[in-house]
Amino acid sequence: MSDLAIRNLFIIPTIVFLIVFNIFPLLYSLGYSFTDFRASTNAPANFVGLDNYRTLLSDPFIWRNFTITAKYVIVSVTGQVIVGFGVAMLLNREIPFKGLLTTLLLLPMMLSMAVVGLFWKMLYDPNFGVINYALGLGKFEWLADPDMALYAIAIADIWMWSPFVMLLSLAGLSAVPKHLYEAAAIDRASGLYTFFRITLPLVAPILMIAIIFRTMEAFKTFDLAYILASQPTTEVISIRLYKMAFQEWQTGMSCALAYIVLIMVLAITNIYIKYLNKVKER
Amino acid sequence: MRGTWTGLVAGVGMTLMSTSAYSQELTIFWAEWDPANYLQELVNEYEAETGVVVTVETTPWADFQTKAFTEFNAQGSAYDLIVGDSQWLGAASEAGHYVELTEFFNANKVGDIMAPATVKYYAEYPGNSGRYWAIPAEGDAVGWSYRKDWFEDPAEMAAFEAKYGYPLGVPADWKQLRDIAEFFHRPDQNRYGIAIYTDNSYDALAMGFENALFSHGGELGDPNTFEVEGIINGPKAVAALDAYRELYGFTPPGWAKTFFVENNQAITENLAAMSMNFFAFFPALLNETTNPNAANTGFFANPAGPSGDRFAALGGQGISVVSYSQNQEEAMKFLEWFIKDETQKRWAELGGYTASAAVLESQEFRQATPYNEAFYQTMFIVKDFWAVPEYAELLGQLNNRLYPHIVGGEGTAQETLDALAADWKATFAKYGRGQ
């Protein structure tokens, strides 16, 4: 068998798989987004032009969902970066049982979202939850309070995904040349100065990659928010999309919403990547 | 070698023949809950009688609608019959997912066999059209359970009468329901007044609110003209929402996403004096292994409102033949068996909530369990949510508007229902209803 044949043998199945399961549905749903198609009926899809996009973008409920999602992304990703990077800094030194500690800290991100959701639901329970007991908060209603519920979900997400940021940060920190710290020590540089002038700039590119991944994931979050609370103040855009597509069967409209979400995620990711390239150039 | 091949071909032939001998099979799709297990027991008896193997396939409630309609949309033949929610009638019949059963209904006089309300809400679409799409299968409605030991405690009875001026007992109206909830609401003792539905993921909040709405004399709208202005936001509906919101103040902490599981837990975990739930979940409350308070748990039908109107929100399902089934003839034969008096009686004995009027009215049924009398009373006073194809949108809008008011205290009842009326008007206009 020729090299070309072997190459094709490996590549063609993947390309076919990609076309059938990704590209084709993507284009097909783009077509549906311009129709009034409802999958629950046998009625044909009628072309409605940009009506679905117009309706969605002028719907105050949808904008509320986007605002909630943005708030969630900012709180959740910021928390993950602070906690993840902080823990990585602590682990980036000689401490006993470092390997075991690192492995244990990685456990949350290995659990399934549904399990984490149910687990935190119990922790937050005002009647028997351990969080209120430990913090002495009495019967504080984390998930029933419309102003608190979103933060409660973000806290669970921070717990779950900080280890991911920690892992990438550890890789970045271990790559910082030791002689830079030695030079800073000789120059009697303060800890803060060393952190902002050496550590952070050198770890920034890999930290940016962690932020890109976590932002994309947080923007699409569904499981945790769906399991933990059903407040209107926690209805992130993916939950609205799910309800529109699979409970209300507004197929055409939900395809349009999915494209709006896709465009937003792409736009945010592009901004990050541009910033990442700038950081790398420094 | 030839002998080997001959043997192999014969074996394959025998296998195919034996498969075809057992090809009389039916699959019924339903949600995963106790009545589905009772139905499986019932259909096992059908298999013993006829040789037709009937399997009741289930999925959790949260996925039930999505899974059913996904299969319908794909025109799949995985299910021959489906025990579908009453709200689905419009969507499933207009889309051609259900086989029309009008001829079967009339030929077998099903309308005379089943309780009138169950025929109206589980089987007929559009309303009053005389067209039928399902056979009432599992009657259900929202009723109440309560702690008899708390209600019958002499000290509590004396204290209650001293405070409210009338004896403590099963509430006769919503005013008494509210008073009793307030009386038993004692957060310092980890004891609360009442457990109501608040989950806004599907129809829980709507069912709970409907119990207040219908008994306060309110309506969702006019089912013939689809007019909602002045009805869903009329004074009676506003009073009902105020009453439901007030009850939320007497629920246990964290009662913001609760449905049948939590509301039964309110009784089993000594949390609440009274708890709203579908009758289908009451058998678990009489089982001492699942409810340590089983001996002290009582039941009552939804009380009357201020003007004496007494209604309850309808649950339950009818059984329909799926249009894409390969076994429609066999499915019809099964339905003929299912509507027989003796089958309905057996269905009730196994724990199913029959919709058969004769069985419901019999003293034997009414005295069989502590909640059957309340169930019997309720099944003649039930009303349902919109059953139009766009019911899910209407339900979502109700959840979006009511939830922040009931749980979060946002806005007034009038503002909340005005906004809901506007949403529903727009949705009905979008689908050309009432024009």
Side-chain angles (χ1 to χ4, degrees), chain A residues 183-255:
Chain A
I186 290 166
D187 290 343
R188 295 191 173 182
S190 71
L192 270 182
Y193 189 90
T194 310
F195 176 76
F196 283 110
R197 292 303 176 111
I198 298 172
T199 311
L200 201 56
L202 289 173
V203 178
I206 204 158
L207 203 56
M208 280 304 295
I209 290 170
I211 291 171
I212 291 171
F213 275 117
R214 289 313 311 145
T215 302
M216 283 164 68
E217 286 296 314
F219 204 91
K220 297 184 297 176
T221 202
F222 176 83
D223 327 45
L224 270 184
Y226 194 72
I227 292 167
L228 278 171
S230 59
Q231 298 273 0
T233 51
T234 62
E235 194 178 88
V236 289
I237 196 66
S238 51
I239 293 183
R240 181 73 205 105
L241 181 55
Y242 166 77
K243 287 182 177 174
M244 196 181 274
F246 300 111
Q247 289 186 347
E248 298 165 8
W249 295 104
Q250 300 189 72
T251 314
M253 187 79 82
S254 58
C255 287

Side-chain angles (χ1 to χ4, degrees), chain A residues 89-104:
Chain A
M89 290 282 287
L90 290 173
L91 286 175
N92 190 38
R93 61 188 68 194
E94 289 310 315
I95 50 169
F97 308 113
K98 188 177 162 182
L100 180 69
L101 262 178
T102 310
T103 310
L104 288 175

Side-chain angles (χ1 to χ4, degrees), chain B residues 150-172:
Chain B
W150 296 10
F151 274 55
E152 290 165 6
D153 182 324
E156 299 284 13
M157 290 171 80
F160 182 88
E161 190 157 5
K163 185 175 180 184
Y164 295 98
Y166 62 91
L168 174 61
V170 168

Side-chain angles (χ1 to χ4, degrees), chain A residues 38-40 42 141 226 230 247, chain B residues 73 95 97 200 257 392 431:
Chain A
R38 294 173 68 87
S40 60
N42 284 333
E141 301 190 15
Y226 194 72
S230 59
Q247 289 186 347
Chain B
N73 301 341
H97 302 319
N200 60 354
K257 190 179 181 178
Y431 292 99

